Amino acid sequence: MNLDENIIADIRQFNRFYTNILGLLDKHVLNTGYSFTEARVILEIGFLEQCIANHLVEKLDIDRSYMSRIIAKLSNDSLIIKENSALDSRTSLIRLTPKGTALFNQLNEKSDEQIVRLLQGLSQKEIKDLHTSMLTIQKKLEKAEGIE
Amino acid sequence: MNLDENIIADIRQFNRFYTNILGLLDKHVLNTGYSFTEARVILEIGFLEQCIANHLVEKLDIDRSYMSRIIAKLSNDSLIIKENSALDSRTSLIRLTPKGTALFNQLNEKSDEQIVRLLQGLSQKEIKDLHTSMLTIQKKLEKAEGIE
DNA sequence: TCCATTTAGTGGACTATGTCAACTTTTTTA
DNA sequence: TAAAAAAGTTGACATAGTCCACTAAATGGA
């Protein structure tokens, strides 16, 4: 494949850089009383509207038992409800309660504000370039996924 | 600033996507006996060749006390050595031992292999686009940093 | 059909990771 | 030069995540 050494170095540099960016963003999801991982779970349930635990396990790459506990906690806090599945009685259908939806919205707002803050100081043109670049990366790497 | 809602949504989508990519990559830094965070520290020391703990704290955004323990562990494992600083006797100059350098090289190789694996299946043109996009993102967001 | 396998989920017991506050020593600054 | 700030350490914790064994239901052949 003859991959240029410098390209690999740049990609790794980008990964370190973006790890920091995401780390900074994560820090500020806080003050909701829920951790970053819990927030990811709530967001994913919210986006899907309905799902089963195993989907969350696979999509978010979180250990089964850990997910079980997260769901138990969220359920206990009345953010989600579990309903028996008619199709597969090993599973429960999970969705947000109104309280959960409120938190979902709050998390979304906070996340949006963070992005706005992250972009402040950039021109429309720069934002457009950034956006295009992100779409490009996602498109290429979705094809790849060749990590395993 | 009139930021398009869709752009924000796409950026957030990208962030979720890239969180997963980085998570997958991180998992595989393992089998060295050191955690992701420890690996970050070793890599940073290796790149700098010499530094003080406080630099690592700020650069990697890790708590002081936690860093103190990480450094103690790495020192205990003879991966790094601490040398008294003549300029500021509160601090120590940290650098890799030969053993630490060996691990540094190993981590670098593993990381490079991961990137190669990540990119497998992409054409030269696609890799070039990916690379350009990453440089663009980094350049724009380095300017920004507007999170606090 | 039935039984071996796989899949979804749970819970105990644990380790690893990260945080907070208090403290020492040294440096900086007003 | 006294007060404040900075670098680092330590104890005591809290949070996050992992591993394993287990149950119950679903699935896939012979």
Side-chain angles (χ1 to χ4, degrees):
Chain A
M1 154 154 303
N2 197 13
L3 253 176
D4 191 330
E5 275 296 313
N6 294 323
I7 289 184
I8 293 180
D10 284 350
I11 292 175
R12 288 184 51 203
Q13 167 60 32
F14 175 77
N15 285 347
R16 284 196 297 277
F17 172 75
Y18 218 76
T19 295
N20 285 336
I21 293 280
L22 292 172
L24 286 173
L25 292 176
D26 296 353
K27 287 253 165 69
H28 294 262
V29 171
L30 298 182
N31 312 325
T32 59
Y34 291 92
S35 72
F36 174 56
T37 301
E38 287 162 346
R40 282 175 82 203
V41 172
I42 292 163
L43 285 168
E44 185 66 21
I45 297 169
F47 288 130
L48 291 173
E49 297 190 357
Q50 189 170 73
C51 65
I52 65 167
N54 197 50
H55 168 90
L56 299 169
V57 163
E58 289 181 352
K59 181 71 184 289
L60 304 178
D61 196 30
I62 292 171
D63 178 82
R64 267 173 198 297
S65 63
Y66 189 26
M67 183 61 74
S68 176
R69 281 175 245 258
I70 290 172
I71 287 171
K73 179 182 173 186
L74 298 181
S75 178
N76 204 55
D77 292 358
S78 304
L79 294 171
I80 61 176
I81 53 162
K82 294 166 72 174
E83 188 184 332
N84 286 339
S85 164
L87 276 90
D88 184 342
S89 54
R90 291 171 305 180
T91 66
S92 303
L93 300 176
I94 298 165
R95 55 200 165 74
L96 297 179
T97 60
K99 185 177 169 195
T101 304
L103 179 56
F104 173 72
N105 290 333
Q106 197 192 329
L107 288 170
N108 271 316
E109 279 165 31
K110 283 201 177 224
S111 298
D112 284 355
E113 284 166 19
Q114 280 176 354
I115 301 297
V116 170
R117 227 172 308 141
L118 180 66
L119 301 184
Q120 79 190 354
L122 297 182
S123 68
Q124 289 292 339
K125 165 80 166 64
E126 286 174 319
I127 291 170
K128 184 168 162 289
D129 290 348
L130 196 69
H131 181 218
T132 305
S133 294
M134 286 178 174
L135 294 179
T136 301
I137 290 173
Q138 197 168 338
K139 197 170 153 198
K140 303 301 182 204
L141 292 187
E142 260 163 5
K143 270 181 64 172
E145 288 290 341
I147 309 175
E148 159 58 4
Chain B
M1 152 154 302
N2 196 17
L3 253 177
D4 191 329
E5 274 296 314
N6 294 324
I7 289 185
I8 293 180
D10 284 349
I11 292 175
R12 288 184 51 204
Q13 167 59 33
F14 175 76
N15 285 346
R16 283 195 297 277
F17 172 77
Y18 219 75
T19 295
N20 286 334
I21 293 279
L22 292 172
L24 287 173
L25 293 176
D26 295 353
K27 287 252 164 71
H28 294 261
V29 171
L30 299 183
N31 312 324
T32 58
Y34 291 91
S35 72
F36 175 56
T37 302
E38 287 162 346
R40 285 175 80 204
V41 172
I42 292 163
L43 285 168
E44 185 66 21
I45 297 170
F47 287 131
L48 290 173
E49 299 191 354
Q50 188 171 75
C51 64
I52 65 168
N54 197 50
H55 169 90
L56 299 169
V57 163
E58 288 180 354
K59 181 72 182 289
L60 304 178
D61 196 28
I62 292 172
D63 179 83
R64 265 171 200 296
S65 63
Y66 189 26
M67 182 62 73
S68 175
R69 280 176 246 258
I70 290 173
I71 287 171
K73 179 182 173 186
L74 299 181
S75 178
N76 205 54
D77 292 358
S78 303
L79 295 171
I80 61 177
I81 52 162
K82 294 166 73 175
E83 188 183 334
N84 287 338
S85 166
L87 276 90
D88 185 340
S89 54
R90 291 171 305 180
T91 67
S92 303
L93 299 176
I94 297 166
R95 55 198 165 76
L96 297 179
T97 60
K99 186 178 168 195
T101 303
L103 179 57
F104 172 72
N105 290 332
Q106 196 192 329
L107 288 170
N108 272 316
E109 278 166 31
K110 283 200 176 224
S111 299
D112 284 354
E113 284 166 19
Q114 280 175 353
I115 300 298
V116 171
R117 229 173 306 142
L118 181 66
L119 301 184
Q120 78 190 356
L122 298 182
S123 68
Q124 289 292 340
K125 165 83 167 60
E126 285 174 319
I127 291 171
K128 183 168 163 290
D129 290 349
L130 196 69
H131 181 218
T132 305
S133 295
M134 286 177 174
L135 294 180
T136 301
I137 291 173
Q138 199 169 337
K139 197 169 153 198
K140 304 301 181 204
L141 292 187
E142 260 163 4
K143 270 181 63 171
E145 288 289 340
I147 307 175
E148 152 54 4

